Amino acid sequence: MTITQNIRTNTRVIRASYANKNRVTQAQFRIETEEIDLNSVKPGGIILRNLYLSLDPYVRLTLDSEGSEATAPMRILNVPFYGLGVAEVVASGTDKYPVGTLITANTGYEKYTVFEYADNPYNFIRVLPAHARDESTGVGLYNYVSALGMPGLTALAGLRVMGVEAGKTIFVGSAAGGVGQLVGQLAKAQGLHVIGSAGSEEKVNYVVTKLGFDSAFNYKTETTRTALARLAPKGIDYFYDTIGGETLETVVDLINEKGHILSIGMLSQENGKEGYPIRNLNLLAPKGATIHGFIYYHHLNYFGELDETVRPLLERGEIEYKQQVFDGIENAPEHFINMLDGKYAGKVAIKISDL
């Protein structure tokens, strides 16, 4: 058992109140500090010094007072928010994770996170490869919460789940987002015709000129139905759906026979927006089309393939990945709100500390 003796000040972002059907504001967050004694690590536990934190739309669900029983532990008030982060083990009560180990895990929105039992499966611990420390190739450690982390895994595994085939057409929602931008590039590399949607002309131009999508449209100025009739007159075979709502309903109308829809999120119904009833699901059976529900932690076995295939592409500059990394855990609420409001393109992360 390895223990580092030290007292540290821990800055934490606390869930202060629910937003429910309203837009998320600063009122939902509170910044607090506490002292952490690194000598207090328990047998089987670890203490983490958090380095980077991923800001993700799914955390919006924790600001609803009501939800499924499964999400209840994530919605408790007056405790820190949790999200995926890159961290270094600074105190350890288990030989499995010695001091100095770099991991990604379900860390707190805080400088230090205590896992009383490291092997709790809900910690989602992934030990990073030794080369993760090597930033000399231009691949920063923050990529392990983006292109080499959960967004990258979601993109890679999602395409595998749908079983995409060369020569067919895929429509990617939120094409300029942290997942969508990688989905489009990986799909192009596999020989698909790729169409994307984004929320501004700047983002549309980015996904076509920088990411190599075959075409894209601005969903704020053109309906999905009109755009897809123009860009995919023979229909679409795959829909990588981060949007849900009316867009999903339109795609159910337009999806080709034996098509596949991958549902990874419902951005159109987050941040207090009303749910949208899909009225045409009866079309799926006669088309033989399939909707796949997707959550990344069912597909952790793809992490090895992700690091082996995508990291070299990043090193060689063969994949473009737009992300914004902001400094300071105390600034996480501001950037989380801006992310939900669509003010950022690409992946958003917070740098908490240097390695």
Side-chain angles (χ1 to χ4, degrees), residues 120-314:
N120 183 328
Y122 292 102
N123 294 337
F124 298 119
I125 292 179
R126 170 196 179 194
V127 176
L128 296 183
H131 60 242
R133 289 180 176 271
D134 182 10
E135 299 181 301
S136 65
T137 60
V139 179
L141 189 58
Y142 51 81
N143 282 281
Y144 284 90
V145 291
S146 58
L148 299 175
M150 185 265 284
L153 179 74
T154 302
L156 177 72
L159 292 172
R160 297 286 188 271
V161 167
M162 285 194 289
V164 298
E165 298 177 14
K168 295 192 174 183
T169 297
I170 185 170
F171 169 40
V172 182
S174 304
V179 175
Q181 59 180 312
L182 195 53
V183 171
Q185 292 177 88
L186 293 177
K188 281 297 297 180
Q190 295 177 56
L192 279 82
H193 183 85
V194 181
I195 301 169
S197 69
S200 71
E201 295 303 322
E202 179 184 6
K203 292 178 181 179
V204 166
N205 182 64
Y206 172 74
V207 302
V208 173
T209 61
K210 294 293 186 180
L211 304 184
F213 282 55
D214 293 286
S215 60
F217 66 94
N218 183 346
Y219 67 81
K220 292 183 179 179
T221 60
E222 185 176 16
T223 68
T224 300
R225 187 176 300 276
T226 300
L228 291 180
R230 176 171 58 85
L231 300 174
K234 295 182 180 180
I236 60 173
D237 303 294
Y238 309 104
F239 176 33
Y240 202 100
D241 183 20
T242 60
I243 304 167
E246 188 175 1
T247 300
L248 174 57
E249 185 173 78
T250 298
V251 171
V252 170
D253 273 346
L254 302 178
I255 194 84
N256 287 336
E257 187 174 351
K258 296 185 179 180
H260 293 267
I261 297 169
L262 190 81
S263 177
I264 71 164
M266 297 276 174
L267 288 173
S268 66
Q269 295 165 66
E270 294 177 356
N271 206 12
K273 297 174 183 176
E274 290 290 336
Y276 185 94
I278 308 300
R279 298 163 293 188
N280 60 349
L281 294 178
N282 60 304
L283 297 178
L284 293 175
K287 293 183 177 187
T290 304
I291 296 182
H292 309 264
F294 184 95
I295 187 73
Y296 85 97
Y297 56 74
H298 291 161
H299 305 278
L300 301 180
N301 55 301
Y302 284 101
F303 266 133
E305 181 182 352
L306 179 71
D307 200 71
E308 291 172 4
T309 59
V310 175
R311 184 180 174 106
L313 294 174
L314 289 170

Side-chain angles (χ1 to χ4, degrees), residues 302-343:
Y302 284 101
F303 266 133
E305 181 182 352
L306 179 71
D307 200 71
E308 291 172 4
T309 59
V310 175
R311 184 180 174 106
L313 294 174
L314 289 170
E315 290 177 349
R316 296 194 298 265
E318 294 176 15
I319 277 187
E320 175 87 14
Y321 195 83
K322 190 169 189 176
Q323 52 195 323
Q324 297 182 74
V325 181
F326 298 99
D327 285 328
I329 188 62
E330 67 279 1
N331 297 316
E334 173 190 355
H335 297 301
F336 183 82
I337 293 167
N338 287 344
M339 176 197 63
L340 290 181
D341 288 343
K343 294 183 179 179

Side-chain angles (χ1 to χ4, degrees), residues 48-122:
L48 304 176
R49 181 172 67 94
N50 298 325
L51 306 174
Y52 291 95
L53 172 70
S54 174
L55 298 186
D56 295 296
Y58 74 85
V59 177
R60 172 63 179 81
L61 298 173
T62 72
L63 291 170
D64 292 333
S65 58
E66 297 181 356
S68 71
E69 184 177 345
T71 64
M74 301 169 60
R75 292 183 278 108
I76 300 172
L77 293 181
N78 301 312
V79 298
F81 288 82
Y82 270 74
L84 293 173
V86 178
E88 181 183 34
V89 177
V90 290
S92 178
T94 171
D95 293 337
K96 187 174 181 179
Y97 303 109
V99 169
T101 303
L102 279 185
I103 67 171
T104 59
N106 195 29
T107 64
Y109 279 37
E110 54 190 353
K111 288 187 174 181
Y112 294 87
T113 294
V114 177
F115 288 156
E116 293 190 357
Y117 177 57
D119 282 335
N120 183 328
Y122 292 102

